[in-house]
């Protein structure tokens, strides 16, 4: 990973004198009802606090800021610096999540092909305590087919626990993604297929699996709406606590609608439902659950 980062920095600093692009900033604020705050599959929240004091049904508030600066813009290449901040809090639960992310994508274009390498560093905080640090390297290859796009992504993430509750998550995550985007003037369709492998120091929470996702986006007279569906299959390592190897099948459906109220402002609503079906459902551990989040928010761009 260190060699990858040094190579990337060397490449992206080669044309710094051509810095011409302004800073782009996006602010997102939303508030909604979450009927299952502490998901069994959530790496961050599953170990948080005293379970006897948790309120599954709660009002959540989310605040996000994204800043991007394209410091390299040449005929066959471009590079940017991106900073992301995300904060989530709840009314009844004494819980606050903060995510800080820095990423450095570099793209190179050859004919109808785009090659992109990205380094990202992400820090997760839970109730003002840093719990996990991620260092990620990604490589994307995209081919343009007229207005359409087809591509693949390879990613490797090194996870470092910063809190003893998360020592079991020390390790790496790898992923391979294939995607197809069909673009038209007023709508687009995207299809994704992903393979993932989470190799942690705690072998009983290590997982392998795949998921498929399809989304349809439509734009019409100041409105943008998007409908997405996803199926995810997760296989866990064999655990002596159970008579069979745990396998989860998860179905998700998301709908969002944006209203353009100003050149730099959107009002939006969002609804997402997730249903997890597991073969482990005994008295002590039942991994069958659902989550429904309905929210309204505003997005500002500068």
């Amino acid at each position: 990973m260190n060699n990858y980062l040094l190579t990337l920095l060397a490449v992206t600093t080669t044309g710094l004198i051509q810095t011409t692009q302004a800073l782009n900033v996006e602010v997102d604020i939303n508030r909604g009802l979450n009927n299952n705050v502490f998901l069994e599959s959530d790496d961050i929240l599953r170990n948080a606090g005293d379970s006897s004091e948790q309120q599954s049904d709660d009002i959540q508030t989310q605040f996000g800021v994204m800043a991007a600066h394209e410091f390299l813009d040449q005929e066959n290449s471009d590079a940017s610096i991106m900073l992301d901040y995300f904060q989530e809090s709840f009314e009844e639960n004494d819980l606050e999540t903060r995510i800080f992310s820095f990423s450095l994508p570099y793209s190179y274009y050859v004919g109808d092909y785009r090659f992109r390498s990205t380094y990202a560093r992400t820090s997760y905080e839970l109730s003002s305590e840093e719990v996990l640090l991620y260092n990620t390297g990604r490589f994307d290859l995209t081919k343009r087919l007229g207005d359409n796009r087809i591509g693949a992504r390879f990613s490797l993430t090194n996870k470092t626990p910063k809190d003893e509750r998360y020592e079991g998550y020390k390790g790496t995550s790898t992923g391979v993604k294939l995607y197809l985007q069909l673009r038209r003037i007023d709508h687009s369709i995207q299809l994704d297929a992903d393979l993932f492998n989470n190799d942690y120091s705690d072998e009983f929470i290590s997982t392998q699996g795949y998921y498929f996702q399809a989304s349809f986006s439509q734009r019409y007279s100041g409105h943008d709406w998007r409908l997405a569906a996803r199926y995810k299959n997760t296989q866990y390592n064999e655990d002596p606590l159970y008579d069979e190897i745990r396998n989860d099948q998860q179905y998700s459906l998301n709908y969002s609608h944006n209203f353009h109220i100003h050149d730099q402002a959107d009002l939006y609503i969002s609804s997402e439902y997730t249903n997890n079906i597991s073969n482990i459902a005994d008295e002590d551990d039942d991994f069958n659950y659902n989550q429904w989040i309905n929210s309204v928010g505003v997005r500002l761009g500068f």
Side-chain angles (χ1 to χ4, degrees):
M1 181 64 69
N2 290 334
N3 291 334
Y4 168 85
L5 177 57
L6 292 174
T7 302
L8 179 60
L9 291 175
V11 172
T12 53
T13 54
T14 301
L16 284 173
I17 58 173
Q18 300 192 25
T19 302
T20 59
Q21 300 300 315
L23 179 69
N24 295 315
V25 178
E26 184 176 281
V27 178
D28 191 314
I29 305 172
N30 70 73
R31 187 170 173 84
L33 176 63
N34 185 334
N35 79 329
N36 191 351
V37 173
F38 298 91
L39 286 180
E40 291 290 345
S41 61
D42 196 303
D43 287 1
I44 305 299
L45 300 182
R46 63 180 300 177
N47 298 319
D50 184 351
S51 60
S52 63
E53 300 178 359
Q54 295 174 355
Q55 301 289 328
S56 292
D57 197 334
D58 206 347
I59 301 295
Q60 68 180 32
T61 301
Q62 296 180 337
F63 171 74
V65 180
M66 187 277 289
H69 174 62
E70 186 180 58
F71 62 85
L72 174 64
D73 184 10
Q74 297 182 335
E75 181 179 356
N76 295 321
S77 63
D78 58 63
S80 303
I81 294 177
M82 302 181 67
L83 299 174
D84 289 272
Y85 171 77
F86 172 82
Q87 177 180 320
E88 181 181 63
S89 58
F90 297 90
E91 282 195 355
E92 299 297 330
N93 289 285
D94 184 17
L95 176 69
E96 184 179 70
T97 300
R98 295 181 181 180
I99 302 176
F100 303 86
S101 181
F102 160 82
S103 60
L104 187 63
Y106 170 77
S107 299
Y108 186 76
Y109 303 87
V110 179
D112 291 332
Y113 291 89
R114 184 192 69 185
F115 303 86
R116 171 174 289 176
S117 61
T118 305
Y119 167 73
R121 180 181 177 89
T122 304
S123 173
Y124 290 82
E125 289 187 3
L126 186 61
S127 300
S128 300
E129 297 290 336
E130 187 178 17
V131 295
L132 286 168
L133 178 65
Y134 291 2
N135 284 282
T136 301
R138 293 194 298 268
F139 177 76
D140 291 77
L141 172 61
T142 303
K143 178 176 173 56
R144 183 176 58 193
L145 302 170
D147 293 331
N148 306 320
R149 304 289 187 273
I150 186 171
R153 169 180 293 177
F154 309 90
S155 64
L156 173 64
T157 299
N158 181 61
K159 299 185 178 183
T160 304
K162 296 295 183 177
D163 186 290
E164 61 181 8
R165 292 172 296 174
Y166 296 87
E167 284 298 323
Y169 289 98
K170 182 178 182 180
T172 60
S173 294
T174 55
V176 178
K177 176 180 180 178
L178 302 176
Y179 53 91
L180 172 65
Q181 187 179 65
L182 306 175
R183 304 170 63 179
R184 299 297 181 265
I185 295 177
D186 61 347
H187 68 275
S188 65
I189 298 173
Q190 180 153 331
L191 305 174
D192 300 324
D194 294 65
L195 296 173
F196 63 87
N197 179 61
N198 298 313
D199 186 12
Y200 301 133
S201 60
D202 185 346
E203 61 177 314
F204 300 128
I205 59 174
S206 297
T207 58
Q208 310 83 38
Y210 60 90
Y211 67 83
F212 301 106
Q213 179 170 292
S215 64
F216 177 83
S217 301
Q218 176 79 46
R219 170 172 292 185
Y220 178 74
S221 185
H223 295 264
D224 288 325
W225 61 272
R226 178 178 181 270
L227 180 64
R230 186 175 78 162
Y231 168 75
K232 181 180 180 181
N233 189 295
T234 304
Q235 183 83 26
Y236 289 74
N237 289 344
E238 185 175 2
D239 192 327
L241 293 177
Y242 307 117
D243 295 331
E244 53 186 329
I245 298 175
R246 179 183 170 185
N247 178 256
D248 286 12
Q249 299 184 68
Q250 188 177 100
Y251 301 86
S252 301
L253 189 65
N254 174 271
Y255 175 78
S256 61
H257 196 128
N258 291 1
F259 306 89
H260 300 290
I261 57 178
H262 187 270
D263 289 343
Q264 296 177 320
D266 287 349
L267 178 68
Y268 68 89
I269 59 174
S270 177
S271 181
E272 181 174 9
Y273 178 77
T274 300
N275 185 34
N276 196 81
I277 302 173
S278 178
N279 61 336
I280 304 297
D282 55 30
E283 294 182 359
D284 296 325
D285 295 302
D286 186 353
F287 299 109
N288 293 278
Y289 57 83
N290 63 75
Q291 182 187 62
W292 196 5
I293 303 175
N294 295 291
S295 57
V296 59
V298 62
R299 186 177 296 111
L300 308 173
F302 307 95

